[in-house]
Amino acid sequence: MGGLLTGSIVALVTPMFDDGSIDELSLRRLVDWHVEQGTNAIVAMGTTGESATLTDDEWLRVVQIVVEQAAARIPVIAGTGSSSTAKAIKLTQAVEKFAIAATLCVTPYYNRPSQEGLYQHFAAIAAAATKPVLLYNVPGRTGCDLLPETVIRLANVPRIAGIKEATGKLDRLQTIKVAVSADFLLLSGDDASACDFMLQGGKGVISVTSNVAPKAMAAMCKAAVAGDAALAHKLDASLQGLHETLFVEPSPTPAKWAVAQLHGCSAHLRLPLLPLTAANQPHVRAAMTAAGVL
């Protein structure tokens, strides 16, 4: 599995109509576009896909559509995280009927469990799963930090296959890397530092920027994973504006606006997220131009 889930992995936005319903045709078109642009894998119903505001039926439908449209051309990872261990298990088991490569489980948000609680949470999910499980640590969004020593413990649990580490703290990569097996998948979840993460031994990035500049992100990741620092940094330099401005308002607000500019679909988000403000639209547009996508 590790060899498949490397490089540029898009944390796919979920297109919606202005009434908030899922725009299934635009979703299918985005999947095709990513395949054409060289994206290496897709995360469906990650947090960038607004999983927190979709019903379970909508969530399952989005995963189904992405898997159908990908048609085994590139791997699909399904986001199944929850603050409830029981619900995360339910979602993980529900999605395993589809041809997914793995599930991605974010740390519980709001209830802020201890490190032992986190260990038990992910171990229980893995015990109930039949496909590989990827951990997802993003304390800036969840208020919960999965520390390296807990990741190392979890790396020994059957079916826990890797981690999306989104703190941007590169020292964590080395701490984890030296203590886990070579096939434990180390993925960045922070676009701004992803290039260096890969140059220091990471195998890819689950990326918001890939929603907007998939071809350039795929090229940068290919160079970085291959250890070509000069080329990777050169390619990444043109993407730094996107790495920054796609978070100028709560994600995925800027990314959805940018995708709408490229594909003509709606930029609608579900409350409590709001559309990208007029003041920030020129900044995102400028970053898109700098990245060569406009």
Side-chain angles (χ1 to χ4, degrees), residues 109-249:
Y109 39 89
Y110 183 77
N111 45 20
R112 301 177 71 182
S114 66
Q115 293 301 303
E116 182 61 27
L118 288 169
Y119 176 85
Q120 296 292 343
H121 171 79
F122 286 115
I125 294 169
T130 61
K131 295 190 177 183
V133 175
L134 300 175
L135 313 171
Y136 176 16
N137 187 41
V138 57
R141 295 293 292 261
T142 63
C144 174
D145 193 359
L146 184 65
L147 296 178
E149 54 263 36
T150 308
V151 176
I152 292 165
R153 287 182 67 199
L154 286 165
N156 294 311
V157 174
R159 284 178 296 280
I160 293 183
I163 184 170
K164 174 186 177 182
E165 171 53 57
T167 61
K169 298 177 179 178
L170 296 179
D171 59 313
R172 291 193 175 199
L173 170 64
Q174 297 308 321
T175 300
I176 297 168
K177 187 174 182 291
V178 299
V180 299
S181 66
D183 60 355
F184 188 76
L185 192 59
L186 297 168
L187 299 171
S188 172
D190 176 62
D191 280 311
S193 61
C195 181
D196 287 330
F197 184 98
M198 288 178 278
L199 287 169
Q200 294 180 27
K203 296 303 181 183
V205 57
I206 297 179
S207 168
V208 174
T209 298
S210 290
N211 280 286
V212 184
K215 189 173 185 178
M217 279 295 294
M220 184 275 285
C221 290
K222 182 179 180 180
V225 171
D228 189 339
L231 178 57
H233 281 137
K234 179 181 177 181
L235 294 168
D236 191 51
S238 68
L239 295 167
Q240 280 296 327
L242 281 176
H243 298 338
E244 180 180 354
T245 60
L246 291 181
F247 294 91
V248 71
E249 292 182 25

Side-chain angles (χ1 to χ4, degrees), residues 39-61:
T39 296
N40 298 109
I42 296 175
V43 172
M45 280 290 89
T47 49
T48 304
E50 296 176 78
S51 54
T53 58
L54 269 65
T55 67
D56 289 356
D57 287 343
E58 289 172 326
W59 164 84
L60 197 63
R61 178 61 178 159

Side-chain angles (χ1 to χ4, degrees), residues 14-17 19-24 27 54 58 62 65 270:
T14 304
M16 300 175 185
F17 292 111
D19 65 0
S21 60
I22 306 302
D23 182 350
E24 295 190 2
L27 180 59
L54 269 65
E58 289 172 326
V62 169
I65 289 169
R270 290 191 178 176

